[in-house]
C-alpha cells in the first residue's frame, strides 16, 4: 500500500511524466510557497525563492536530464559509480551475513546447536545498532573518509580472521559482533564523504541508495546459490571476496577524489559541479 499511496501523490502533483493529471495539484504554487516559507524572511530571500516556488515541483526524472551533466568531468561520474559500488558491497555483506550466518553455524565443521546459532543474527543486528550510536560522537572528531576507510579495512580483516579461525565457535560470535560494528556506519559515512566531494543535492543520493539496495538484494541471491552448490564454507570465502572488492572500490574512490576539481564560486547554475544550496524541502536522508 505504501508505494501505491506514494504513486497517487506523485500523480496528483503531476510529477509522473506518463500520466499527466487534468486535476489541480494538492497545493498551488502560491499556497506551497506560503506553507514552506516563513513570513519573517527578508525581501532578498523572498526574491530568491519566488522563482523556485513559481515553478512548482520539478519533474520526477529531472535529475536524469542531460543538461544537468553538461560540462561534467569523467571524475564526476566516477565518484558516483565507485561510491555506489562500495555501498553495493558493504550493504550486500550486511544482507548476506545476516541471512546465512545461522545456516553456516549449524552446518559442519562448527555444528552449533540450533538454539545457540539463533543468537548470531540478533548479535549481528544488535552491534549494528550499537555501532550507529557510537558513530554519532565519533563523527564529530573524525572525517567521513577516515571512518569509511576504517570500516572497509575492519570488514576485510574480520573476514580474514573468521577464515583462519573457522573451527572456533567463540570467534564466530566475536567476528559477528565485530562485523556489526564495522558495517554499522559505512552507509552514512559514505553519504557524508561523497557529499563533501560533490556538493550534491539529491541525484547522487539516489545513485548511492540504489547501489546499496541492489547489492543487498543481489548478493544474498548469489551467496545462497553458491552455498547450495559449494557448501557452507564458501559463505566466509564470499564475504572475504566482497570485503576485498569494497576496499578496492574505495581505493578507486580516493583516486578519483584527488582528480575531481573543486567547483569555483562562479560555476554556471546548470553545471552539476555547482555547490549545493539548501532549499526549502531539505535533503533526502536515510
Amino acid at each position: 500500500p505504501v508505494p501505491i499511496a506514494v504513486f497517487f501523490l506523485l500523480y496528483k502533483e503531476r510529477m509522473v511524466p506518463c500520466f499527466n493529471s487534468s486535476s489541480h495539484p494538492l497545493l498551488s504554487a502560491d499556497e506551497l510557497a506560503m506553507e514552506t516559507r516563513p513570513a519573517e524572511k527578508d525581501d532578498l530571500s523572498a526574491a530568491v525563492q519566488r522563482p523556485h516556488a513559481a515553478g512548482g515541483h520539478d519533474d520526477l526524472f529531472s535529475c536524469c536530464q542531460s543538461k544537468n551533466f553538461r560540462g561534467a568531468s569523467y571524475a564526476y561520474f566516477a565518484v558516483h559509480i565507485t561510491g555506489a559500488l562500495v555501498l553495493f558491497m558493504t550493504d550486500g555483506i550486511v544482507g548476506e551475513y545476516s541471512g546465512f550466518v545461522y545456516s553456516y553455524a549449524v552446518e559442519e565443521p562448527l555444528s552449533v546447536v540450533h538454539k545457540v546459532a539463533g543468537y548470531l543474527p540478533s548479535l549481528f543486528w544488535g552491534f549494528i545498532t550499537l555501532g550507529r550510536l557510537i558513530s554519532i560522537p565519533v563523527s564529530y572528531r573524525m572525517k567521513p573518509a577516515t571512518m569509511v576507510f576504517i570500516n572497509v579495512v575492519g570488514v576485510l580483516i574480520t573476514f580474514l580472521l573468521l577464515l583462519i579461525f573457522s573451527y572456533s565457535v567463540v570467534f564466530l560470535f566475536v567476528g559477528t559482533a565485530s562485523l556489526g560494528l564495522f558495517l554499522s556506519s559505512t552507509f552514512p559515512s559514505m553519504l557524508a564523504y561523497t557529499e563533501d566531494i560533490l556538493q550534491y543535492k539529491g541525484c547522487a543520493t539516489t545513485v548511492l541508495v540504489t547501489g546499496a539496495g541492489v547489492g543487498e538484494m543481489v548478493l544474498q541471491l548469489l551467496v545462497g546459490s553458491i552455498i547450495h552448490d559449494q557448501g557452507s564454507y564458501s559463505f566466509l570465502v564470499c564475504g572475504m571476496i566482497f570485503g576485498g572488492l569494497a576496499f578496492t572500490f574505495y581505493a578507486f574512490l580516493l583516486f578519483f577524489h584527488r582528480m575531481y576539481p573543486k567547483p569555483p564560486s562562479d560555476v554556471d547554475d546548470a553545471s552539476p559541479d555547482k555547490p549545493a544550496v539548501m532549499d526549502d524541502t531539505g535533503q533526502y536522508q536515510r
Side-chain angles (χ1 to χ4, degrees), residues 225-273:
S225 301
I226 294 176
I227 290 177
H228 178 75
D229 295 334
Q230 304 296 330
S232 61
Y233 186 78
S234 58
F235 166 72
L236 295 181
V237 177
C238 290
M240 182 70 183
I241 294 173
F242 298 150
L245 289 174
F247 180 82
T248 302
F249 291 136
Y250 181 68
F252 280 112
L253 178 61
L254 293 177
F255 173 75
F256 290 121
H257 181 197
R258 286 180 171 271
M259 301 184 64
Y260 185 75
K262 292 184 179 180
S265 57
D266 56 347
V267 179
D268 182 70
D269 291 342
S271 174
D273 295 338

Side-chain angles (χ1 to χ4, degrees), residues 38-89:
E40 64 269 17
K41 284 188 176 180
D42 54 22
D43 295 337
L44 179 60
S45 61
V48 172
Q49 293 180 2
R50 191 173 293 115
H52 172 75
H57 291 296
D58 290 334
D59 186 78
L60 181 62
F61 302 102
S62 61
C63 67
C64 300
Q65 296 177 0
S66 59
K67 65 180 181 180
N68 293 330
F69 307 113
R70 192 174 302 149
S73 62
Y74 74 93
Y76 174 80
F77 300 99
V79 169
H80 284 73
I81 295 172
T82 51
L85 287 174
V86 172
L87 292 181
F88 180 93
M89 293 300 167

